[in-house]
Amino acid sequence: MDLRSLGTSDIKVTPIGLGCWQFSNRVGFGGLFWPGLEQEVSREIVRLSLVGGVNWFDTAEIYGNGTSEGRLADGLINAGKKPGDVIVATKWHPLFRTAKHMLKTIDERKQHLSPFPIDLYQIHAPVSFSSAAGEAAALAQLVKEGHVRAVGVSNYNAKQMRAIHAALAKLGVPMVSNQVEYSMLKRGIESNGLMEAAKELGITIIAYSPLAQGLLTGKFHDAPSLLKNAGFRRIKRLYRPSWMEKSKPVVAALKSMAEKYEATPGQIALNWLIHFHGETVVAIPGAMKAHQAQQNTGAMAFKLNAEELARLDELSRGFM
């Protein structure tokens, strides 16, 4: 399996990882967005992701107040993994907090993920009470004290990303990643300067919701009646009738290419995402069911050619 460097760090990850928000099990505010999952199901999702070649997993404090972190650790242990066998990323949520809170709660994050160390620690959003310099100081301290291996951010725009990157650089610590929503139907980072800045600074873009929360699988276009069970997603713009109609040509092209590669439309969409910008983008699709984990990993088994990448780029430019 081809591995990519996470930013300028020595951490090597597969182009596809596993997003673990769905392991929140309806605990806390962050856990209310998905149905509860039986522990055996979460274990099987982790196991099949590993079987498919995935070597890294992304979770967060707010995903069930540590529930997702604990479920991830349990799944890895159940699969026979030991510390150092996989890459683990988690996130600190900064709402109504200062950067010093990272230092106070890092032991909680480590306890929930035990025995697995934190390879990548991220600030979940640019909403703390601290400045970029204050956030950078806390992140750098975590690295230098050995609590975490590398640091990144999430949901930062280009200006915010540049500011904390510069602040960390002054402290001798690289910022390696920015986790943002990015898919063929959500391409704003290509037009607002974020992708350009990431390439300039050598920062990896970690794409969450890389399948536009299921739209790029084609299932909702094929059976609109499924939308009634789509939960909170139904209120999003992409799920409105006019936008569903707008995305039909993209989904049709994904289906056509899927036949050639004996793949699924979702696998084609993920393959485009992890190859169109070279090695800058990696993706963390989630999975509520075991077969979805298998499908996600299958996106790494082939590579679209230049003509196909360009065709999908052309069809989805209306979503920049």
Side-chain angles (χ1 to χ4, degrees):
M1 187 68 65
D2 290 336
L3 298 177
R4 300 178 180 183
S5 295
L6 198 58
T8 57
S9 75
D10 62 355
I11 298 174
K12 303 288 187 179
V13 298
T14 47
I16 299 290
L18 177 69
C20 299
W21 185 8
Q22 70 280 9
F23 292 172
S24 305
N25 208 34
R26 300 194 63 77
V27 176
F29 176 76
L32 297 179
F33 289 83
W34 305 103
L37 276 183
E38 295 292 334
Q39 188 171 45
E40 286 305 316
V41 176
S42 60
R43 284 177 173 178
E44 186 67 356
I45 288 171
V46 170
R47 186 187 73 81
L48 289 174
S49 296
L50 291 164
V51 169
V54 163
N55 81 332
W56 68 293
F57 301 80
D58 179 86
T59 181
E61 172 190 10
I62 202 172
Y63 299 165
N65 301 329
T67 302
S68 172
E69 293 170 322
R71 279 288 184 91
L72 171 59
D74 171 80
L76 292 171
I77 292 170
N78 187 258
K81 294 300 177 181
K82 296 180 175 60
D85 288 346
V86 296
I87 303 300
V88 173
T90 192
K91 298 181 285 292
W92 168 75
H93 203 281
L95 188 63
F96 303 127
R97 294 168 167 175
T98 66
K100 290 182 179 179
H101 188 267
M102 278 188 264
L103 308 176
K104 295 177 180 178
T105 58
I106 190 62
D107 286 339
E108 292 178 17
R109 307 276 62 74
K110 292 164 68 175
Q111 181 179 3
H112 283 297
L113 287 164
S114 179
F116 300 94
I118 299 172
D119 296 286
L120 175 65
Y121 197 56
Q122 305 152 95
I123 298 177
H124 209 142
V127 294
S128 80
F129 287 143
S130 296
S131 63
E135 291 178 337
L139 289 173
Q141 184 173 338
L142 291 176
V143 173
K144 292 175 180 179
E145 291 181 355
H147 294 290
V148 304
R149 189 171 165 191
V151 293
V153 295
S154 181
N155 297 305
Y156 278 52
N157 63 31
K159 182 178 179 181
Q160 293 162 338
M161 183 176 74
R162 285 183 182 278
I164 194 165
H165 176 273
L168 279 165
K170 290 181 180 178
L171 299 171
V173 175
M175 193 194 86
V176 303
S177 62
N178 189 359
Q179 184 177 145
V180 295
E181 185 174 2
Y182 181 49
S183 73
M184 292 180 66
L185 302 184
K186 187 81 172 182
R187 297 183 60 182
I189 67 170
E190 296 177 66
S191 58
N192 65 14
L194 182 58
M195 181 67 77
E196 180 182 4
K199 291 181 178 180
E200 175 192 332
L201 299 173
I203 292 170
T204 295
I205 293 293
I206 300 175
Y208 70 78
S209 297
L211 293 174
Q213 296 181 335
L215 274 183
L216 288 168
T217 67
K219 64 181 181 181
F220 293 113
H221 291 81
D222 293 341
S225 62
L226 293 176
L227 288 169
K228 65 182 179 183
N229 298 318
F232 76 96
R233 291 174 288 182
R234 288 180 296 172
I235 67 174
K236 293 200 167 188
R237 183 176 67 173
L238 287 174
Y239 282 77
R240 297 172 187 168
S242 60
W243 283 85
M244 290 280 287
E245 187 68 26
K246 184 178 179 180
S247 59
K248 274 186 177 180
V250 177
V251 173
L254 294 176
K255 289 181 178 179
S256 177
M257 292 183 192
E259 292 182 9
K260 170 186 173 181
Y261 287 96
E262 298 183 346
T264 66
Q267 288 172 335
I268 300 296
L270 289 173
N271 196 275
W272 180 87
L273 201 67
I274 61 177
H275 291 301
F276 186 65
H277 292 282
E279 296 192 351
T280 297
V281 178
V282 294
I284 48 169
M288 288 292 295
K289 299 176 181 178
H291 77 271
Q292 293 172 338
Q294 289 178 306
Q295 289 179 353
N296 292 341
T297 63
M300 297 187 286
F302 62 96
K303 183 177 181 180
L304 298 171
N305 63 41
E307 182 179 345
E308 291 162 339
L309 292 171
R311 175 61 176 159
L312 292 174
D313 168 42
E314 179 184 2
L315 288 171
S316 60
R317 280 190 166 267
F319 295 91
M320 281 190 180

